[in-house]
Amino acid sequence: MRVSLLSSCYTQAFRPEIAEQMLNLGTLLGFEMVAQSKHTCCGLPAWDDGRRQDALVAAQQTVRLFDSFDQVIVSSASCYAMLTRQIPTLLGGTEYAEEALSLSQRCRDWSSFLLENVALSVPEFVFPGSITYFQSCRQLEPAATIALLMEICEAERLTTISQSCCGFGNNLTWRHPRISRNMADSVISSLRLTRSDVTVTDDMGCLMLLQNQSQQTRKMRIEHIATFVYGLLQESLQ
Amino acid sequence: MSKPSIADKNTRSALQRLEFVPAQAAHLAWSASTNGASDRERAGWARQRVLDNLSHYLRKLEQSAMELGVNVHWADGAQDANRQVVEILRQYKTSDALRNHNALLDEIALDRACANNGIKLTHLHPGDHIAALASATRHHPVWPVVHLRAEEISEVVSQRYRVPRTHDPDILASTLRGPLRRTLLRTNTVLLGLDFAVAGNGALVCIDNDGHNANMVALARQAICLLSIENITADMADLHHLANVYARSAWGREMPAYLTSFDRPTAPGVDGPREIHLIFVDNRRSNILNSDIGEALRCIGCGACHNVCPVYQQIGGEAYGESPYAGPIGALINPILLQSSASARQPYLSSACAICKSVCPVNIDLPGLLNNQRQLMATEKPTFSQRLMFGIWRRTLTHPRLFRRLLRVYGRLRGF
C-alpha cells in the first residue's frame, strides 16, 4: 500500500522535523511512506479569506498531486477538515469533482492512522505524567486522538480542552495580530491552569501560535502529537 | 477600515466570564433536555418557514392585528420608524414615555430621536437604565451592563439617587426599583420592541426575565409596538417553542420567566393599553433576506453566539460600530444593516472557529455565512494587501522551495 504524507504548508516551512517524525513512524510500521515534496498548500488560508478562486487553484493542485496514493496521512487537523469537507464542495461540478471526493475518502488524520496500525498498549509505552489535549476548533473528529492519548496515559491524567480557539484561524495572525495574540494568551492561561506536564495538539496552527506565545511569559511544553508519540517511542527503545 | 481596538482589561475579563456563566448555564439547560438536537432543528425550521414566506405571514399578521383593532403602520428605515413614533407621541400630547429592553429600538436609535424631539424616554429594564445613567455602550444583547464593575454601577446609582454606595445587588436593585416604578405609574405611553408576533392570531409578544414588559403592558394607556419584520411566528406552538429555546440559550432556563402577550386594545376598567400601534420596521432586512445571508434573519437575539465568541471577548461590542448586534451575528449582518465603510469588513472579525454554530438555538450556519460574505467582499472590493498577499501566494503555489522561503519570511515577521 502506498501511503503519502500531506504535511501542511506550516509544517514544511516552520516545523519540518514533525514531518520527518511522521515519516519515520510510518516507515517503522512497515509502510512505504512518501513525502510529496511538490505539495505546497491545500488552499485553506485562501478559502478562509474569501479568495475562492485562489483556493480552487490550490485545491486542484492538491487533488492532482495525491491522486496516485492509497492513503494520504494529514499532519494538521485544519488541513484535514479542508480536504475532507471543503475541497469536495469547492471542486464539486468541476472536472476534479471525482478526484476530490476520492481524496477526501482516502485521507486519514495522523492519529487514526497510528491507532489503526499499531498496538500501543504495551507497558513500556506509557507516559507517566499528565497530558492536556488542546483540541483545535477545526478538529472535527477528535475521537481518534483522544483514544490514542488514552492508550498512552491513564484517563484521570488526561484533560481535554475543546470549544476553544487559539486565534490562528481565518488568517487572524495576519489581519488582526493583537486579537490573535490575546486569544492565544487566554488559551495559554487555561492550559496553565490544568498544570499538566505536557500539552499536545494535532493542529499546526495552534501549535505554532501557542508555542510562540507561551514563550513570551513562562515556558511550557507544547508539542504536536506526532512529536510526543515519537519521543515516547524513542525513550522506550533506548 | 481602521483595525478594531482591543477592549479595556475590565471589559475583556467581564466578556470572558460570559463563557463560564451564561454559556455554561445554557449548556446545562440544553444538556438537561432530552431532545436538544431536534429542538434546535424545530426552532430553525419554525424561523425558516416564516422567512421563506415572509410576505404571506406579514399580510396575515397585518390582517389579524387590524381585525383586533390595532393601528398598523409600516416603516422602511430607521428614520421613518422614528418619525412615526414621534408623530404618534405628539398625537397623544405626551413628552414622557417608557421603553423596554429591545435591540430593534437600539438599532434605530430611538433614544436619540426622542431626545431630539424633546421626549423623555426612560428605560424600565434595570440594566438598560444603568447603561443610560452611566452613558455606557451596551456590549451584549441580553446582559447590557455585563462589562461594568460593581463599583462603577454603585457609583452611578449613588450619584443619581443620592444613596450610599453599595455593592450589594439586592440593595442596588431596590434603589432602582422605587423610582422606576413611580415613573411606570405616572407614564401613560410605552414604546415596546416586540420579541415576536404571531401571524395566526395577532398576539404581540415580549419575553424577559424581570417582568418589566408585563408591568408596562398592564399599566399603559397607549402602547406603540415596533416589530422587525422577520420576528414573526406562524402560530402559538412555534411561539412557545421559540420562547423556550430562547430562554435556554439566553438565561439557561427551561422557559422564559415572563412571556407577555397582548393582542387588542382593552375596554375601560380593564388593565392594558386602550390604543395599540404596531409599526413594522424593515430597515434593510429585505436586503438581508434577498442576499446570500438570508438565513441570518432566523436570529432570535439570545446572545449565545456572543457568549462563546473568542474574538468578541477581546474587542467587545464597541468594535461593531453603531449597531447593537455584536459578536458573530453582528459581524454577519452589520455590513448590510449599517451600509458604512466602517462596518464593511466586519466579517473578517472571526477566527472561523465555528463554536458559535454549535450553540445557535436556531441552527444558523454563522461561520459558513461569514465565509460567504468574505467571498463577496474578496470579489467585489479586495483590499490592496489582500491582493498582494494572495497574488504572491497563488503564483508560488507551484514553486515549493520559493513558497516555503516566503512563508518563512512571513513567519519571521510574526515570530513563528
Side-chain angles (χ1 to χ4, degrees):
Chain A
M1 187 159 76
R2 291 192 75 211
V3 182
S4 176
L5 177 71
L6 188 154
S7 50
S8 71
C9 49
Y10 291 111
T11 316
Q12 295 165 7
F14 304 110
R15 303 284 190 275
E17 67 279 9
I18 295 178
E20 283 290 311
Q21 288 155 350
M22 288 181 166
L23 286 172
N24 287 347
L25 270 168
T27 313
L28 279 175
L29 293 171
F31 289 96
E32 185 197 336
M33 292 290 283
V34 184
Q36 182 48 282
S37 59
K38 280 186 189 161
H39 174 249
T40 43
C41 181
C42 62
L44 179 63
W47 170 256
D48 271 350
D49 220 65
R51 306 281 296 187
R52 193 188 173 91
Q53 281 308 315
D54 294 335
L56 205 72
V57 174
Q60 285 170 351
Q61 181 183 307
T62 307
V63 166
R64 239 181 3 242
L65 285 173
F66 290 93
D67 202 30
S68 60
F69 296 97
D70 301 311
Q71 258 192 14
V72 178
I73 315 304
V74 188
S75 71
S76 183
S78 45
C79 304
Y80 181 74
M82 178 73 186
L83 287 156
T84 53
R85 304 295 208 278
Q86 308 299 357
I87 288 186
T89 324
L90 193 62
L91 295 180
T94 71
E95 56 181 309
Y96 291 93
E98 262 180 47
E99 284 102 319
L101 201 62
S102 146
L103 176 62
S104 73
Q105 285 155 359
R106 284 179 286 119
C107 271
R108 308 308 308 268
D109 80 284
W110 192 79
S111 301
S112 16
F113 169 70
L114 201 62
L115 204 60
E116 280 164 23
N117 293 303
V118 68
L120 284 168
S121 43
V122 283
E124 296 85 38
F125 216 94
V126 168
F127 181 65
S130 52
I131 305 176
T132 295
Y133 167 48
F134 180 73
Q135 185 191 325
S136 156
C137 56
R138 304 288 177 106
Q139 175 56 278
L140 303 167
E141 295 161 24
T145 308
I146 294 173
L148 179 64
L149 288 170
M150 281 172 77
E151 291 275 357
I152 48 185
C153 170
E154 282 167 29
E156 62 265 30
R157 285 187 277 113
L158 176 66
T159 313
T160 299
I161 293 190
S162 59
Q163 294 282 84
S164 186
C165 178
C166 67
F168 191 87
N170 201 15
N171 307 324
L172 221 57
T173 50
W174 162 48
R175 284 193 175 279
H176 300 295
R178 256 312 292 277
I179 299 178
S180 165
R181 280 200 300 271
N182 276 19
M183 283 166 67
D185 282 341
S186 142
V187 167
I188 288 163
S189 318
S190 315
L191 293 176
R192 290 201 200 280
L193 283 176
T194 66
R195 294 175 182 277
S196 294
D197 298 310
V198 59
T199 296
V200 295
T201 179
D202 41 14
D203 194 293
M204 277 308 295
C206 308
L207 179 76
M208 287 197 312
L209 185 60
L210 294 177
Q211 276 185 342
N212 178 47
Q213 202 57 24
S214 65
Q215 278 166 9
Q216 310 290 325
T217 50
R218 198 156 31 93
K219 212 171 160 20
M220 65 188 292
R221 190 177 159 198
I222 305 173
E223 286 180 2
H224 191 281
I225 185 152
T227 311
F228 179 65
V229 172
Y230 193 70
L232 282 181
L233 182 72
Q234 278 190 322
E235 268 175 37
S236 70
L237 289 177
Q238 274 166 9
Chain B
M1 176 201 164
S2 60
K3 298 250 174 194
S5 53
I6 301 286
D8 63 80
K9 206 174 165 211
N10 287 332
T11 305
R12 272 187 284 138
S13 58
L15 298 181
Q16 279 171 4
R17 277 201 300 276
L18 289 169
E19 209 177 321
F20 300 103
V21 187
Q24 277 304 315
H27 177 69
L28 289 176
W30 277 97
S31 311
S33 120
T34 43
N35 314 308
S38 65
D39 283 352
R40 268 180 224 274
E41 224 161 88
R42 193 187 151 196
W45 174 80
R47 296 295 298 126
Q48 194 59 45
R49 80 159 158 157
V50 167
L51 296 179
D52 288 344
N53 302 289
L54 191 58
S55 51
H56 163 73
Y57 285 108
L58 278 168
R59 273 200 305 275
K60 202 168 164 187
L61 174 61
E62 182 186 32
Q63 198 187 348
S64 310
M66 281 163 71
E67 280 170 8
L68 292 164
V70 173
N71 302 301
V72 176
H73 315 260
W74 294 85
D76 261 347
Q79 273 190 337
D80 195 13
N82 287 331
R83 185 185 50 76
Q84 297 198 37
V85 170
V86 171
E87 270 173 23
I88 298 167
L89 288 170
R90 289 217 172 109
Q91 275 175 27
Y92 292 132
K93 297 191 173 60
T94 179
S95 57
D96 281 306
L98 276 171
R99 63 157 282 189
N100 69 345
H101 174 77
N102 188 274
L104 176 66
L105 306 191
D106 298 334
E107 176 192 324
I108 61 172
L110 187 65
D111 293 23
R112 205 187 311 148
C114 284
N116 291 344
N117 286 284
I119 295 154
K120 191 175 165 240
L121 200 58
T122 309
H123 289 264
L124 197 60
H125 183 272
D128 286 347
H129 189 67
I130 293 166
L133 290 181
S135 310
T137 315
R138 270 163 282 169
H139 285 267
H140 192 278
V142 179
W143 315 105
V145 285
V146 64
H147 60 296
L148 294 186
R149 284 173 301 137
E151 295 85 34
E152 292 171 276
I153 294 175
S154 149
E155 177 69 28
V156 292
V157 172
S158 79
Q159 271 188 10
R160 172 66 180 79
Y161 295 108
R162 302 212 172 95
V163 289
R165 287 197 185 96
T166 172
H167 294 176
D168 187 327
D170 286 337
I171 300 177
L172 282 169
S174 56
T175 306
L176 292 175
R177 205 171 286 137
L180 283 178
R181 283 192 177 165
R182 279 192 289 281
T183 316
L184 173 69
L185 288 171
R186 62 162 193 269
T187 311
N188 287 329
T189 313
V190 296
L191 305 179
L192 296 166
L194 300 175
D195 291 308
F196 294 108
V198 184
N201 61 4
L204 310 175
V205 181
C206 295
I207 49 182
D208 61 66
N209 63 352
D210 67 342
H212 73 287
N213 283 300
N215 285 337
M216 285 163 84
V217 171
L219 295 169
R221 282 281 169 271
Q222 302 104 18
I224 305 170
C225 308
L226 290 98
L227 176 73
S228 54
I229 53 167
E230 82 282 13
N231 280 348
I232 296 180
T233 68
D235 49 37
M236 289 303 274
D238 278 4
L239 169 75
H240 285 295
H241 186 70
L242 287 167
N244 289 350
V245 299
Y246 178 96
R248 263 186 226 170
S249 291
W251 306 308
R253 289 171 189 259
E254 259 313 293
M255 59 174 75
Y258 296 90
L259 187 148
T260 309
S261 168
F262 57 108
D263 59 0
R264 69 194 80 191
T266 55
V270 182
D271 280 350
R274 303 277 159 74
E275 281 185 52
I276 302 174
H277 293 267
L278 172 62
I279 307 176
F280 288 95
V281 184
D282 184 314
N283 206 22
R284 301 198 176 109
R285 279 169 177 73
S286 305
N287 299 11
I288 298 179
L289 190 64
N290 296 325
S291 72
D292 282 350
I293 58 158
E295 190 185 308
L297 291 182
R298 284 185 190 179
C299 179
I300 53 172
C302 66
C305 59
H306 293 59
N307 299 345
V308 297
C309 179
V311 174
Y312 160 77
Q313 284 166 9
Q314 295 300 333
I315 56 179
E318 271 176 44
Y320 297 83
E322 294 247 301
S323 167
Y325 312 105
I329 188 72
L332 182 60
I333 62 174
N334 288 343
I336 300 184
L337 217 54
L338 301 177
Q339 297 274 332
S340 66
S341 60
S343 64
R345 305 202 74 76
Q346 287 189 14
Y348 285 99
L349 292 176
S350 154
S351 68
C353 66
I355 304 173
C356 49
K357 184 180 174 182
S358 67
V359 297
C360 178
V362 287
N363 275 342
I364 303 175
D365 178 13
L366 287 157
L369 296 181
L370 281 165
N371 193 291
N372 284 357
Q373 283 297 83
R374 290 196 292 269
Q375 283 186 32
L376 197 70
M377 271 186 293
T379 318
E380 285 178 357
K381 286 180 194 156
T383 58
F384 173 73
S385 63
Q386 197 181 25
R387 276 185 294 151
L388 180 71
M389 227 30 191
F390 284 100
I392 298 171
W393 181 86
R394 185 171 170 165
R395 274 169 192 78
T396 51
L397 272 177
T398 44
H399 306 282
R401 289 181 66 178
L402 180 61
F403 184 89
R404 272 161 227 159
R405 200 172 298 156
L406 289 174
L407 198 56
R408 268 183 223 120
V409 173
Y410 166 76
R412 210 164 294 146
L413 295 173
R414 291 275 166 251
F416 295 144

